[in-house]
Amino acid sequence: MGIATIKTRALQAMDAPEVTVEVHLTSGLPGFSLVGLPETGVREAKDRVRSAILNSQFEFPLQRITVNLAPADLPKEGGRFDLAIALGILVASKQVPDKLLENAEFLGELALTGQIRPVRGALICAMKAHQSGHMIILPDANGAEARLAVGDGHLVAGHLSEVTAFLHEAQSLTMSDDEGTSCAVSQALDCKEIKGQSQAKRALEIAAAGGHNLLLSGPPGCGKSMLAERLPGILPPMTKKEGLSQLSVKSVLHHSFDAKHWLQRPFRSPHHSSSTAAIVGGGNPPKPGEISLAHHGVLFLDEIPEFQRNVLEALREPLENREICISRASHQAVYPANFQLVAAMNPCPCGYFGDNLHQCKCSAERIKRYRDKLSGPLLDRIDLQLTLQPTPLNLITSPSDTLPEESSKEIQKRVIRSCDKQIARQGKRNAQLAGDEIFSLGLFSQESLSLLETSGERMNLSARALQRVSKVARTIADLEAREEVNRSHVLEALSYRPAG
């Protein structure tokens, strides 16, 4: 009779609870029982583990094997427990010593040859293991993200035999190479490539500085998508904390890990045919959606009226709470969703309403029906709403050196100065201020407060819309390095908000 205990980690939304793999060998008819609420992928581990052990030149014990995954009420899925189960069998059968197991956790899926394959959520597992004071041993392919999360608190292996040699103290395991985790400067699209559209660029700068949501409306070809694609290039650089938070979401979905650009702000542009589950997350068990993949970055919805109504309405809560809670009968998952929404739309179905160069052929009823696809509560949550006109063709064909445009780097410098000012004053960007927190700072002149009140009544603005106008005005003042919000700042902020 033999027994062994190995530590590993499950994956549950953005958490990685510890799982103890208990292996018990007894005499009797050979058999392999796996208990502890395993799902199909976990139950199939018995066949993978058996082949991996035999192909690693060990004996598979011809005894009754019972493997318990504790705690028993935690659902387990995937092949992430294979390595721990295989080591538990080898330790219980006295083929591998157990003296190095106490402060170690093992994570990895086994191939039939004994190779160790990567698993989802390795970054989260590494951070949780580090918090518990444990060393984590995981696949080579997960080493780079573990290196970012815990530094030297991890070891990597490519084969089961390497791990067993380490436990025999016959061979040492190495850490992942840190050369692949040095962040490279990405070549973002540059604002100087956009000719004209000075007001739109101004709105883009305000959105970047304060973290505000933006809606661009205009005829086809006026530059809406070009402007949206250049927003990440003028946003402040990501901090390491933000980068790890965003990378954790990718790790949960098993997205490929780009070590060179892990601090690059994400830009997600889903197609308008995407479902609610694809945008906000869903499934059973729940998985994160596009809004979580855009965490600390930009979610661009091109042709926003073409999205399904229920998809757009599902954005309302995460735009306010900056996270999404997905509940199922047996699962509940909370995923981060601190993103900036940039949306683009045509002014009417044909696209040319208000265009000076083309005649609109849509009826008033058709235009109203098209615009009503965006509900009032959703529009209330979009801070900056701007209508664009096409750029004159003579400006498009003129050489770049005739009328040079401002580059993204120049705009980003002003954005960074403004963001630093906001963080120093209130610990967060202006768009993240809650409720009447913007007014409690006492940074509005009496004249600007009176203008906000009278304009709000005249334009039929809701309380939420008025607060968002105030936040935009505060951002405009920060861009000008002004301590107090004055009348001109409020007037510019109101110009980006249509009447209710």
Side-chain angles (χ1 to χ4, degrees), residues 41-346:
V42 184
R43 290 196 296 269
E44 292 173 347
K46 59 181 70 174
D47 298 313
R48 293 192 297 269
V49 166
R50 182 178 184 279
S51 295
I53 288 176
L54 293 174
N55 288 320
S56 299
Q57 312 306 314
F58 289 99
E59 293 183 5
F60 190 81
L62 296 178
Q63 296 174 274
R64 182 167 183 79
I65 304 171
T66 303
V67 177
N68 178 42
L69 306 177
D73 60 347
L74 177 70
K76 288 83 174 182
E77 62 173 348
R80 59 193 313 104
F81 308 105
D82 291 2
L83 179 59
I85 293 172
L87 292 176
I89 293 173
L90 293 175
V91 170
S93 60
K94 310 301 182 184
Q95 299 182 71
V96 171
D98 62 353
K99 60 181 179 179
L100 297 180
L101 299 179
E102 184 176 353
N103 295 316
E105 297 182 11
F106 299 86
L107 194 68
E109 177 183 331
L110 290 177
L112 300 184
T113 60
Q115 296 287 332
I116 306 178
R117 291 173 172 158
V119 296
R120 295 188 302 114
L123 185 142
I124 301 174
C125 294
M127 288 193 290
K128 290 293 183 179
H130 185 69
Q131 293 170 10
S132 300
H134 297 158
M135 175 72 71
I136 187 167
I137 291 92
L138 69 172
D140 281 327
N142 292 129
E145 50 187 304
R147 177 97 191 185
L148 289 174
V150 299
D152 297 343
H154 78 288
L155 295 172
V156 296
H159 198 278
L160 175 61
S161 59
E162 295 177 19
V163 182
T164 57
F166 167 73
L167 295 177
H168 275 291
E169 299 184 276
Q171 175 183 326
S172 60
L173 295 178
T174 60
M175 294 174 290
S176 176
D177 189 359
D178 62 350
E179 291 182 2
T181 57
S182 57
C183 186
V185 179
S186 61
Q187 299 298 319
L189 298 173
D190 205 314
C191 286
K192 69 181 180 181
E193 299 167 354
I194 302 177
K195 296 184 178 181
Q197 299 294 2
S198 57
Q199 186 184 13
K201 290 181 183 178
R202 171 68 171 170
L204 203 68
E205 181 178 344
I206 295 170
H212 304 290
N213 301 318
L214 175 64
L215 173 62
L216 299 172
S217 175
C222 66
K224 302 185 294 293
S225 298
M226 289 184 68
L227 286 160
E229 290 167 353
R230 280 150 183 79
L231 179 57
I234 64 173
L235 288 172
M238 288 182 80
T239 63
K240 183 177 180 180
K241 182 179 179 181
E242 290 175 336
L244 288 176
S245 177
Q246 201 276 330
L247 190 59
S248 297
V249 180
K250 288 186 175 181
S251 181
V252 167
L253 284 175
H254 218 325
H255 276 216
S256 58
F257 170 61
D258 184 0
K260 288 292 185 182
H261 299 102
W262 70 281
L263 285 178
Q264 180 177 339
R265 291 196 181 272
F267 180 84
R268 305 293 299 185
S269 181
H271 192 259
H272 62 255
S273 62
S274 301
S275 65
T276 305
I279 299 295
V280 302
N284 195 11
K287 296 289 191 298
E290 290 289 339
I291 62 172
S292 296
L293 288 170
H295 185 51
H296 292 307
V298 177
L299 176 69
F300 177 46
L301 301 183
D302 197 9
E303 305 295 343
I304 187 171
E306 302 300 332
F307 282 80
Q308 299 175 39
R309 179 68 177 258
N310 60 328
V311 173
L312 297 179
E313 295 306 303
L315 293 175
R316 287 158 50 178
E317 287 78 11
L319 282 173
E320 288 286 337
N321 303 329
R322 303 189 184 277
E323 64 179 19
I324 181 69
C325 179
I326 306 169
S327 297
R328 297 291 181 267
S330 58
H331 298 274
Q332 186 179 63
V334 178
Y335 294 109
N338 185 11
F339 64 95
Q340 272 186 261
L341 174 65
V342 179
M345 63 178 289
N346 294 325

